[in-house]
Short mmCIF file of all heavy atoms in Angstrom, two decimals:
data_model
loop_
_atom_site.label_atom_id
_atom_site.label_comp_id
_atom_site.label_asym_id
_atom_site.label_seq_id
_atom_site.Cartn_x
_atom_site.Cartn_y
_atom_site.Cartn_z
N VAL A 11 37.66 15.53 29.01
CA VAL A 11 37.99 16.01 30.35
C VAL A 11 36.75 15.85 31.24
O VAL A 11 35.67 16.28 30.88
CB VAL A 11 38.42 17.49 30.32
CG1 VAL A 11 38.68 18.02 31.71
CG2 VAL A 11 39.64 17.67 29.45
N SER A 12 36.96 15.20 32.38
CA SER A 12 35.84 14.97 33.29
C SER A 12 35.53 16.23 34.09
O SER A 12 36.31 17.18 34.11
CB SER A 12 36.18 13.84 34.26
OG SER A 12 37.12 14.28 35.21
N MET A 13 34.38 16.21 34.74
CA MET A 13 33.99 17.36 35.58
C MET A 13 34.99 17.56 36.71
O MET A 13 35.32 18.69 37.05
CB MET A 13 32.58 17.15 36.14
CG MET A 13 31.50 17.22 35.08
SD MET A 13 31.40 18.86 34.35
CE MET A 13 30.54 19.71 35.65
N GLN A 14 35.49 16.46 37.29
CA GLN A 14 36.46 16.59 38.38
C GLN A 14 37.74 17.25 37.88
O GLN A 14 38.31 18.10 38.55
CB GLN A 14 36.78 15.22 38.98
CG GLN A 14 35.72 14.71 39.92
CD GLN A 14 36.13 13.41 40.55
OE1 GLN A 14 36.71 12.56 39.89
NE2 GLN A 14 35.82 13.25 41.82
N GLU A 15 38.21 16.84 36.70
CA GLU A 15 39.43 17.45 36.15
C GLU A 15 39.21 18.93 35.86
O GLU A 15 40.08 19.75 36.12
CB GLU A 15 39.86 16.71 34.88
CG GLU A 15 40.38 15.31 35.16
CD GLU A 15 40.56 14.49 33.90
OE1 GLU A 15 39.74 14.65 32.97
OE2 GLU A 15 41.50 13.70 33.85
N THR A 16 38.05 19.26 35.33
CA THR A 16 37.72 20.65 35.05
C THR A 16 37.69 21.47 36.34
O THR A 16 38.25 22.57 36.42
CB THR A 16 36.37 20.76 34.33
OG1 THR A 16 36.44 19.98 33.14
CG2 THR A 16 36.06 22.20 33.98
N ALA A 17 37.07 20.92 37.38
CA ALA A 17 37.00 21.61 38.66
C ALA A 17 38.40 21.79 39.25
O ALA A 17 38.73 22.86 39.78
CB ALA A 17 36.11 20.84 39.63
N ALA A 18 39.23 20.77 39.14
CA ALA A 18 40.59 20.85 39.66
C ALA A 18 41.38 21.93 38.92
O ALA A 18 42.13 22.69 39.54
CB ALA A 18 41.29 19.51 39.56
N MET A 19 41.20 22.03 37.60
CA MET A 19 41.91 23.05 36.82
C MET A 19 41.43 24.44 37.21
O MET A 19 42.21 25.38 37.27
CB MET A 19 41.70 22.82 35.33
CG MET A 19 42.50 21.66 34.80
SD MET A 19 42.41 21.55 33.01
CE MET A 19 40.97 20.53 32.81
N ALA A 20 40.16 24.59 37.49
CA ALA A 20 39.60 25.88 37.85
C ALA A 20 40.11 26.36 39.21
O ALA A 20 40.20 27.55 39.47
CB ALA A 20 38.08 25.82 37.87
N GLU A 21 40.45 25.40 40.07
CA GLU A 21 40.95 25.75 41.40
C GLU A 21 42.38 26.24 41.37
O GLU A 21 42.88 26.77 42.34
CB GLU A 21 40.84 24.55 42.34
CG GLU A 21 39.42 24.19 42.68
CD GLU A 21 39.31 22.90 43.46
OE1 GLU A 21 40.35 22.35 43.89
OE2 GLU A 21 38.19 22.45 43.66
N GLY A 22 43.05 26.07 40.25
CA GLY A 22 44.41 26.55 40.13
C GLY A 22 45.42 25.43 40.21
O GLY A 22 45.06 24.26 40.29
N PRO A 23 46.70 25.79 40.18
CA PRO A 23 47.75 24.79 40.17
C PRO A 23 47.81 24.04 41.49
O PRO A 23 47.35 24.52 42.51
CB PRO A 23 49.02 25.62 39.94
CG PRO A 23 48.67 26.98 40.41
CD PRO A 23 47.19 27.15 40.19
N PRO A 24 48.41 22.85 41.46
CA PRO A 24 48.57 22.11 42.71
C PRO A 24 49.48 22.87 43.68
O PRO A 24 50.13 23.84 43.30
CB PRO A 24 49.21 20.80 42.28
CG PRO A 24 49.71 21.02 40.91
CD PRO A 24 48.97 22.19 40.33
N ASP A 25 49.51 22.44 44.92
CA ASP A 25 50.34 23.10 45.92
C ASP A 25 51.77 23.25 45.42
O ASP A 25 52.29 22.40 44.71
CB ASP A 25 50.34 22.31 47.23
CG ASP A 25 48.99 22.36 47.91
OD1 ASP A 25 48.25 23.33 47.69
OD2 ASP A 25 48.68 21.42 48.67
N GLN A 26 52.39 24.33 45.83
CA GLN A 26 53.77 24.59 45.46
C GLN A 26 54.67 23.48 45.97
O GLN A 26 54.36 22.79 46.92
CB GLN A 26 54.23 25.90 46.11
CG GLN A 26 54.06 27.10 45.25
CD GLN A 26 54.54 28.33 45.95
OE1 GLN A 26 53.73 29.15 46.29
NE2 GLN A 26 55.81 28.48 46.18
N LEU A 27 55.81 23.38 45.34
CA LEU A 27 56.81 22.44 45.80
C LEU A 27 57.34 22.90 47.16
O LEU A 27 57.43 24.09 47.43
CB LEU A 27 57.97 22.38 44.81
CG LEU A 27 57.64 21.80 43.44
CD1 LEU A 27 58.81 22.02 42.49
CD2 LEU A 27 57.31 20.34 43.54
N SER A 28 57.72 21.95 47.97
CA SER A 28 58.28 22.28 49.27
C SER A 28 59.73 22.74 49.12
O SER A 28 60.35 22.56 48.07
CB SER A 28 58.24 21.07 50.19
OG SER A 28 59.21 20.11 49.78
N PHE A 29 60.27 23.31 50.19
CA PHE A 29 61.67 23.73 50.19
C PHE A 29 62.57 22.56 49.82
O PHE A 29 63.45 22.69 48.97
CB PHE A 29 62.05 24.28 51.58
CG PHE A 29 63.52 24.61 51.69
CD1 PHE A 29 63.99 25.84 51.29
CD2 PHE A 29 64.42 23.67 52.16
CE1 PHE A 29 65.34 26.15 51.37
CE2 PHE A 29 65.77 23.96 52.24
CZ PHE A 29 66.23 25.21 51.85
N GLN A 30 62.34 21.40 50.44
CA GLN A 30 63.20 20.24 50.18
C GLN A 30 63.10 19.76 48.73
O GLN A 30 64.10 19.38 48.13
CB GLN A 30 62.85 19.09 51.14
CG GLN A 30 63.30 19.33 52.57
CD GLN A 30 64.80 19.54 52.69
OE1 GLN A 30 65.60 19.00 51.94
NE2 GLN A 30 65.20 20.38 53.63
N GLU A 31 61.90 19.80 48.17
CA GLU A 31 61.73 19.39 46.76
C GLU A 31 62.50 20.33 45.84
O GLU A 31 63.19 19.89 44.92
CB GLU A 31 60.26 19.37 46.39
CG GLU A 31 59.49 18.22 47.03
CD GLU A 31 58.00 18.36 46.87
OE1 GLU A 31 57.46 19.48 47.01
OE2 GLU A 31 57.36 17.34 46.60
N LEU A 32 62.38 21.64 46.09
CA LEU A 32 63.11 22.60 45.27
C LEU A 32 64.61 22.48 45.47
O LEU A 32 65.38 22.53 44.51
CB LEU A 32 62.65 24.03 45.58
CG LEU A 32 61.30 24.41 45.00
CD1 LEU A 32 60.85 25.76 45.56
CD2 LEU A 32 61.32 24.44 43.49
N ARG A 33 65.05 22.32 46.72
CA ARG A 33 66.48 22.20 47.01
C ARG A 33 67.08 21.02 46.24
O ARG A 33 68.18 21.09 45.71
CB ARG A 33 66.68 22.02 48.52
CG ARG A 33 68.10 21.79 48.99
CD ARG A 33 69.01 23.00 48.90
NE ARG A 33 69.47 23.19 47.54
CZ ARG A 33 69.97 24.32 47.03
NH1 ARG A 33 70.09 25.40 47.77
NH2 ARG A 33 70.34 24.42 45.79
N SER A 34 66.33 19.92 46.17
CA SER A 34 66.86 18.75 45.49
C SER A 34 66.87 18.90 43.97
O SER A 34 67.64 18.24 43.29
CB SER A 34 66.07 17.50 45.89
OG SER A 34 64.76 17.54 45.36
N ARG A 35 66.05 19.80 43.44
CA ARG A 35 65.94 19.97 41.98
C ARG A 35 66.79 21.09 41.41
O ARG A 35 67.08 21.10 40.22
CB ARG A 35 64.48 20.24 41.60
CG ARG A 35 63.59 19.05 41.87
CD ARG A 35 62.17 19.37 41.51
NE ARG A 35 61.29 18.28 41.89
CZ ARG A 35 60.11 18.07 41.37
NH1 ARG A 35 59.64 18.88 40.44
NH2 ARG A 35 59.38 17.06 41.76
N LEU A 36 67.16 22.04 42.24
CA LEU A 36 67.91 23.20 41.75
C LEU A 36 69.39 23.05 42.07
O LEU A 36 69.77 22.43 43.06
CB LEU A 36 67.36 24.48 42.39
CG LEU A 36 65.93 24.83 41.97
CD1 LEU A 36 65.40 25.98 42.80
CD2 LEU A 36 65.86 25.15 40.48
N PRO A 37 70.25 23.65 41.23
CA PRO A 37 71.70 23.55 41.46
C PRO A 37 72.12 24.27 42.73
O PRO A 37 71.41 25.15 43.23
CB PRO A 37 72.31 24.20 40.21
CG PRO A 37 71.24 25.05 39.64
CD PRO A 37 69.92 24.43 40.05
N ALA A 38 73.27 23.91 43.23
CA ALA A 38 73.80 24.49 44.48
C ALA A 38 73.97 26.00 44.37
O ALA A 38 73.92 26.70 45.39
CB ALA A 38 75.13 23.83 44.83
N GLU A 39 74.17 26.52 43.16
CA GLU A 39 74.34 27.97 42.99
C GLU A 39 73.09 28.74 43.39
O GLU A 39 73.17 29.93 43.68
CB GLU A 39 74.69 28.30 41.53
CG GLU A 39 76.07 27.86 41.11
CD GLU A 39 76.11 26.42 40.58
OE1 GLU A 39 75.10 25.69 40.68
OE2 GLU A 39 77.16 26.03 40.08
N VAL A 40 71.94 28.08 43.37
CA VAL A 40 70.70 28.72 43.84
C VAL A 40 70.68 28.50 45.35
O VAL A 40 70.47 27.39 45.83
CB VAL A 40 69.45 28.13 43.16
CG1 VAL A 40 68.19 28.79 43.71
CG2 VAL A 40 69.53 28.27 41.66
N THR A 41 70.92 29.56 46.10
CA THR A 41 71.11 29.46 47.54
C THR A 41 69.79 29.25 48.28
O THR A 41 68.71 29.50 47.75
CB THR A 41 71.82 30.71 48.07
OG1 THR A 41 71.05 31.86 47.72
CG2 THR A 41 73.23 30.83 47.51
N ASP A 42 69.91 28.78 49.52
CA ASP A 42 68.74 28.48 50.34
C ASP A 42 67.83 29.69 50.52
O ASP A 42 66.60 29.54 50.56
CB ASP A 42 69.16 27.96 51.71
CG ASP A 42 69.75 26.55 51.65
OD1 ASP A 42 69.70 25.91 50.58
OD2 ASP A 42 70.26 26.09 52.69
N ASP A 43 68.40 30.90 50.64
CA ASP A 43 67.54 32.08 50.82
C ASP A 43 66.65 32.31 49.60
O ASP A 43 65.49 32.70 49.74
CB ASP A 43 68.36 33.33 51.16
CG ASP A 43 69.32 33.76 50.05
OD1 ASP A 43 69.87 32.88 49.35
OD2 ASP A 43 69.54 34.97 49.90
N ILE A 44 67.16 32.04 48.42
CA ILE A 44 66.36 32.20 47.22
C ILE A 44 65.30 31.10 47.14
O ILE A 44 64.15 31.36 46.77
CB ILE A 44 67.25 32.24 45.97
CG1 ILE A 44 68.12 33.51 46.03
CG2 ILE A 44 66.42 32.18 44.69
CD1 ILE A 44 69.23 33.58 45.03
N ILE A 45 65.65 29.90 47.54
CA ILE A 45 64.67 28.82 47.55
C ILE A 45 63.56 29.13 48.55
O ILE A 45 62.38 28.94 48.25
CB ILE A 45 65.34 27.46 47.84
CG1 ILE A 45 66.25 27.10 46.66
CG2 ILE A 45 64.29 26.37 48.08
CD1 ILE A 45 67.05 25.86 46.83
N ARG A 46 63.91 29.66 49.72
CA ARG A 46 62.88 30.06 50.69
C ARG A 46 61.97 31.13 50.09
O ARG A 46 60.75 31.09 50.24
CB ARG A 46 63.51 30.55 51.99
CG ARG A 46 63.88 29.42 52.93
CD ARG A 46 64.28 29.94 54.30
NE ARG A 46 65.60 30.55 54.31
CZ ARG A 46 66.74 29.88 54.36
NH1 ARG A 46 66.74 28.57 54.39
NH2 ARG A 46 67.88 30.51 54.36
N LEU A 47 62.56 32.09 49.39
CA LEU A 47 61.79 33.17 48.76
C LEU A 47 60.79 32.60 47.76
O LEU A 47 59.60 32.91 47.81
CB LEU A 47 62.74 34.15 48.06
CG LEU A 47 62.08 35.18 47.15
CD1 LEU A 47 61.23 36.15 47.96
CD2 LEU A 47 63.13 35.92 46.33
N ILE A 48 61.24 31.73 46.87
CA ILE A 48 60.33 31.22 45.83
C ILE A 48 59.35 30.18 46.38
O ILE A 48 58.31 29.95 45.78
CB ILE A 48 61.08 30.71 44.58
CG1 ILE A 48 61.99 29.53 44.88
CG2 ILE A 48 61.85 31.85 43.94
CD1 ILE A 48 62.71 28.97 43.67
N THR A 49 59.68 29.59 47.52
CA THR A 49 58.73 28.68 48.17
C THR A 49 57.59 29.48 48.81
O THR A 49 56.45 29.03 48.82
CB THR A 49 59.45 27.84 49.26
OG1 THR A 49 60.48 27.08 48.63
CG2 THR A 49 58.51 26.89 49.94
N ASN A 50 57.89 30.66 49.32
CA ASN A 50 56.91 31.46 50.06
C ASN A 50 56.19 32.51 49.23
O ASN A 50 55.22 33.10 49.70
CB ASN A 50 57.60 32.14 51.25
CG ASN A 50 58.08 31.13 52.26
OD1 ASN A 50 57.41 30.16 52.55
ND2 ASN A 50 59.27 31.36 52.80
N SER A 51 56.64 32.75 48.01
CA SER A 51 56.04 33.81 47.18
C SER A 51 55.76 33.28 45.78
O SER A 51 56.69 32.98 45.03
CB SER A 51 56.99 35.01 47.10
OG SER A 51 56.56 35.91 46.09
N SER A 52 54.48 33.20 45.45
CA SER A 52 54.14 32.72 44.11
C SER A 52 54.61 33.71 43.05
O SER A 52 54.98 33.31 41.93
CB SER A 52 52.64 32.45 43.99
OG SER A 52 51.90 33.62 44.25
N GLU A 53 54.63 35.00 43.37
CA GLU A 53 55.13 36.00 42.41
C GLU A 53 56.62 35.79 42.16
O GLU A 53 57.08 35.82 41.01
CB GLU A 53 54.88 37.42 42.93
CG GLU A 53 55.35 38.48 41.96
CD GLU A 53 55.13 39.90 42.47
OE1 GLU A 53 54.71 40.09 43.63
OE2 GLU A 53 55.36 40.83 41.68
N ALA A 54 57.38 35.56 43.22
CA ALA A 54 58.82 35.32 43.06
C ALA A 54 59.06 34.03 42.28
O ALA A 54 59.96 33.97 41.44
CB ALA A 54 59.50 35.26 44.42
N LEU A 55 58.25 33.01 42.55
CA LEU A 55 58.39 31.74 41.82
C LEU A 55 58.13 31.96 40.33
O LEU A 55 58.88 31.47 39.48
CB LEU A 55 57.44 30.69 42.38
CG LEU A 55 57.45 29.34 41.67
CD1 LEU A 55 58.82 28.69 41.73
CD2 LEU A 55 56.39 28.42 42.26
N THR A 56 57.10 32.73 40.01
CA THR A 56 56.79 33.02 38.61
C THR A 56 57.93 33.79 37.96
O THR A 56 58.36 33.46 36.85
CB THR A 56 55.48 33.82 38.51
OG1 THR A 56 54.42 33.03 39.06
CG2 THR A 56 55.16 34.17 37.08
N ASP A 57 58.43 34.81 38.66
CA ASP A 57 59.55 35.60 38.12
C ASP A 57 60.79 34.72 37.93
O ASP A 57 61.48 34.82 36.92
CB ASP A 57 59.88 36.78 39.04
CG ASP A 57 58.81 37.86 39.02
OD1 ASP A 57 57.97 37.86 38.11
OD2 ASP A 57 58.82 38.71 39.94
N PHE A 58 61.05 33.85 38.89
CA PHE A 58 62.20 32.94 38.81
C PHE A 58 62.06 32.02 37.60
O PHE A 58 63.02 31.80 36.85
CB PHE A 58 62.30 32.13 40.11
CG PHE A 58 63.46 31.17 40.14
CD1 PHE A 58 64.72 31.59 40.52
CD2 PHE A 58 63.29 29.84 39.79
CE1 PHE A 58 65.79 30.71 40.55
CE2 PHE A 58 64.35 28.95 39.82
CZ PHE A 58 65.61 29.39 40.20
N ALA A 59 60.87 31.50 37.39
CA ALA A 59 60.63 30.57 36.29
C ALA A 59 60.81 31.23 34.93
O ALA A 59 61.12 30.56 33.94
CB ALA A 59 59.24 29.99 36.40
N LYS A 60 60.64 32.55 34.87
CA LYS A 60 60.74 33.28 33.59
C LYS A 60 62.16 33.73 33.27
O LYS A 60 62.41 34.27 32.20
CB LYS A 60 59.82 34.50 33.62
CG LYS A 60 58.35 34.13 33.62
CD LYS A 60 57.49 35.38 33.67
CE LYS A 60 56.02 35.04 33.68
NZ LYS A 60 55.19 36.26 33.80
N ILE A 61 63.11 33.50 34.18
CA ILE A 61 64.49 33.96 33.96
C ILE A 61 65.10 33.23 32.76
O ILE A 61 65.09 32.01 32.70
CB ILE A 61 65.35 33.73 35.22
CG1 ILE A 61 64.90 34.68 36.32
CG2 ILE A 61 66.84 33.93 34.90
CD1 ILE A 61 65.59 34.45 37.66
N GLN A 62 65.61 34.05 31.82
CA GLN A 62 66.27 33.49 30.64
C GLN A 62 67.60 34.17 30.35
O GLN A 62 68.47 33.57 29.73
CB GLN A 62 65.37 33.61 29.41
CG GLN A 62 64.12 32.77 29.50
CD GLN A 62 63.29 32.84 28.23
OE1 GLN A 62 63.67 33.49 27.26
NE2 GLN A 62 62.16 32.18 28.24
N THR A 63 67.75 35.40 30.77
CA THR A 63 68.96 36.17 30.45
C THR A 63 69.59 36.72 31.72
O THR A 63 68.97 36.73 32.79
CB THR A 63 68.62 37.35 29.52
OG1 THR A 63 67.81 38.29 30.25
CG2 THR A 63 67.89 36.90 28.26
N GLN A 64 70.80 37.22 31.59
CA GLN A 64 71.45 37.85 32.73
C GLN A 64 70.67 39.08 33.18
O GLN A 64 70.59 39.36 34.37
CB GLN A 64 72.90 38.23 32.39
CG GLN A 64 73.66 38.81 33.57
CD GLN A 64 73.74 37.86 34.76
OE1 GLN A 64 74.08 36.69 34.62
NE2 GLN A 64 73.42 38.36 35.95
N GLN A 65 70.05 39.78 32.24
CA GLN A 65 69.23 40.93 32.61
C GLN A 65 68.05 40.49 33.48
O GLN A 65 67.70 41.18 34.45
CB GLN A 65 68.72 41.67 31.36
CG GLN A 65 67.94 42.93 31.68
CD GLN A 65 68.78 43.97 32.41
OE1 GLN A 65 69.89 44.30 31.97
NE2 GLN A 65 68.30 44.48 33.52
N ASP A 66 67.46 39.34 33.16
CA ASP A 66 66.38 38.81 33.99
C ASP A 66 66.88 38.51 35.41
O ASP A 66 66.19 38.78 36.39
CB ASP A 66 65.81 37.51 33.39
CG ASP A 66 65.11 37.72 32.05
OD1 ASP A 66 64.68 38.86 31.75
OD2 ASP A 66 65.00 36.73 31.30
N VAL A 67 68.09 37.97 35.51
CA VAL A 67 68.69 37.70 36.82
C VAL A 67 68.89 39.00 37.57
O VAL A 67 68.55 39.11 38.75
CB VAL A 67 70.04 36.94 36.67
CG1 VAL A 67 70.76 36.83 38.01
CG2 VAL A 67 69.81 35.57 36.05
N ASP A 68 69.43 40.01 36.88
CA ASP A 68 69.67 41.31 37.51
C ASP A 68 68.36 41.93 38.01
O ASP A 68 68.30 42.47 39.12
CB ASP A 68 70.36 42.26 36.54
CG ASP A 68 71.76 41.80 36.16
OD1 ASP A 68 72.33 40.93 36.86
OD2 ASP A 68 72.27 42.29 35.13
N ASN A 69 67.31 41.83 37.19
CA ASN A 69 66.00 42.37 37.59
C ASN A 69 65.45 41.61 38.80
O ASN A 69 64.89 42.22 39.71
CB ASN A 69 65.01 42.29 36.42
CG ASN A 69 65.38 43.23 35.29
OD1 ASN A 69 66.16 44.16 35.45
ND2 ASN A 69 64.84 42.95 34.12
N PHE A 70 65.58 40.29 38.81
CA PHE A 70 65.12 39.47 39.93
C PHE A 70 65.85 39.88 41.21
O PHE A 70 65.23 40.07 42.26
CB PHE A 70 65.36 37.98 39.61
CG PHE A 70 64.83 37.03 40.64
CD1 PHE A 70 63.53 36.55 40.58
CD2 PHE A 70 65.64 36.59 41.68
CE1 PHE A 70 63.05 35.66 41.52
CE2 PHE A 70 65.16 35.70 42.63
CZ PHE A 70 63.86 35.24 42.55
N ASN A 71 67.17 40.02 41.11
CA ASN A 71 67.97 40.40 42.28
C ASN A 71 67.56 41.76 42.82
O ASN A 71 67.42 41.94 44.03
CB ASN A 71 69.46 40.41 41.92
CG ASN A 71 70.02 39.01 41.78
OD1 ASN A 71 69.45 38.03 42.26
ND2 ASN A 71 71.14 38.90 41.09
N ALA A 72 67.34 42.71 41.92
CA ALA A 72 66.94 44.05 42.35
C ALA A 72 65.55 44.05 42.97
O ALA A 72 65.32 44.68 44.01
CB ALA A 72 66.99 45.02 41.16
N LYS A 73 64.62 43.33 42.37
CA LYS A 73 63.24 43.31 42.86
C LYS A 73 63.13 42.67 44.23
O LYS A 73 62.38 43.14 45.08
CB LYS A 73 62.37 42.56 41.85
CG LYS A 73 60.89 42.53 42.24
CD LYS A 73 60.06 41.90 41.13
CE LYS A 73 58.58 41.92 41.48
NZ LYS A 73 57.75 41.39 40.37
N TYR A 74 63.88 41.58 44.45
CA TYR A 74 63.72 40.82 45.69
C TYR A 74 64.87 41.00 46.68
O TYR A 74 64.86 40.41 47.76
CB TYR A 74 63.53 39.33 45.36
CG TYR A 74 62.25 39.09 44.60
CD1 TYR A 74 62.25 38.87 43.23
CD2 TYR A 74 61.02 39.16 45.24
CE1 TYR A 74 61.08 38.68 42.53
CE2 TYR A 74 59.84 38.97 44.55
CZ TYR A 74 59.87 38.74 43.20
OH TYR A 74 58.70 38.56 42.50
N GLY A 75 65.87 41.80 46.34
CA GLY A 75 66.97 42.07 47.26
C GLY A 75 67.81 40.83 47.56
O GLY A 75 68.23 40.62 48.70
N VAL A 76 68.03 40.01 46.53
CA VAL A 76 68.81 38.79 46.70
C VAL A 76 70.00 38.83 45.74
O VAL A 76 70.17 39.79 44.99
CB VAL A 76 67.95 37.52 46.43
CG1 VAL A 76 66.87 37.38 47.48
CG2 VAL A 76 67.37 37.54 45.03
N ASN A 77 70.81 37.80 45.79
CA ASN A 77 71.99 37.73 44.91
C ASN A 77 72.01 36.39 44.19
O ASN A 77 72.85 35.54 44.45
CB ASN A 77 73.28 37.94 45.72
CG ASN A 77 74.47 38.06 44.80
OD1 ASN A 77 74.37 38.52 43.67
ND2 ASN A 77 75.62 37.62 45.29
N LEU A 78 71.05 36.22 43.29
CA LEU A 78 70.98 35.00 42.49
C LEU A 78 72.11 35.01 41.47
O LEU A 78 72.31 36.00 40.77
CB LEU A 78 69.63 34.91 41.77
CG LEU A 78 69.47 33.76 40.77
CD1 LEU A 78 69.56 32.42 41.49
CD2 LEU A 78 68.13 33.89 40.05
N VAL A 79 72.85 33.91 41.41
CA VAL A 79 73.89 33.72 40.42
C VAL A 79 73.59 32.39 39.75
O VAL A 79 73.57 31.35 40.41
CB VAL A 79 75.29 33.69 41.06
CG1 VAL A 79 76.36 33.44 40.01
CG2 VAL A 79 75.55 34.98 41.81
N LEU A 80 73.34 32.45 38.46
CA LEU A 80 73.05 31.22 37.74
C LEU A 80 74.33 30.49 37.42
O LEU A 80 75.36 31.10 37.20
CB LEU A 80 72.28 31.52 36.47
CG LEU A 80 70.87 32.08 36.68
CD1 LEU A 80 70.18 32.27 35.35
CD2 LEU A 80 70.04 31.15 37.55
N PRO A 81 74.27 29.15 37.38
CA PRO A 81 75.47 28.39 37.05
C PRO A 81 75.94 28.72 35.64
O PRO A 81 75.11 28.94 34.75
CB PRO A 81 75.02 26.93 37.15
CG PRO A 81 73.54 26.94 37.21
CD PRO A 81 73.11 28.32 37.60
N SER A 82 77.24 28.76 35.46
CA SER A 82 77.76 29.01 34.12
C SER A 82 77.69 27.72 33.32
O SER A 82 77.85 26.63 33.87
CB SER A 82 79.20 29.52 34.19
OG SER A 82 79.99 28.58 34.86
N GLU A 83 77.42 27.86 32.03
CA GLU A 83 77.31 26.68 31.18
C GLU A 83 78.70 26.28 30.71
O GLU A 83 79.54 27.12 30.41
CB GLU A 83 76.41 26.98 29.99
CG GLU A 83 74.98 27.24 30.42
CD GLU A 83 74.05 27.48 29.24
OE1 GLU A 83 74.34 26.97 28.14
OE2 GLU A 83 73.05 28.18 29.43
N ALA A 84 78.93 24.99 30.67
CA ALA A 84 80.26 24.49 30.28
C ALA A 84 80.47 24.60 28.79
O ALA A 84 79.59 24.62 28.01
CB ALA A 84 80.39 23.03 30.70
#
């Protein structure tokens, strides 16, 4: 690992994805208000990324006052 790579890692992750990048990557069930939330809040983005169960969805909705509904699996 070069000094530049080490310095870049120390500075933290690269800039967050933009609204348009997230909109194009996430299913339609994830509404624009939730995408705006996770674009503007690194804490919300982290919480969103950790969602694995319906309880996690419920906790996310309660914490951020949103109504996230994950797509049902076929």
Side-chain angles (χ1 to χ4, degrees):
V11 177
S12 73
M13 291 295 283
Q14 282 184 320
E15 290 169 325
T16 303
M19 285 188 272
E21 291 173 8
D25 291 334
Q26 267 181 249
L27 294 170
S28 72
F29 174 87
Q30 288 301 328
E31 289 169 318
L32 285 171
R33 176 71 281 161
S34 69
R35 294 178 185 202
L36 294 172
E39 290 88 352
V40 179
T41 57
D42 289 352
D43 63 326
I44 294 169
I45 294 176
R46 277 190 286 280
L47 170 66
I48 63 178
T49 300
N50 294 320
S51 168
S52 59
E53 182 181 6
L55 178 61
T56 299
D57 289 344
F58 181 85
K60 292 179 181 177
I61 291 174
Q62 294 183 2
T63 66
Q64 184 59 49
Q65 184 62 50
D66 294 338
V67 172
D68 295 343
N69 292 342
F70 184 89
N71 286 341
K73 182 174 183 176
Y74 295 103
V76 294
N77 188 30
L78 174 63
V79 178
L80 294 183
S82 58
E83 295 183 27

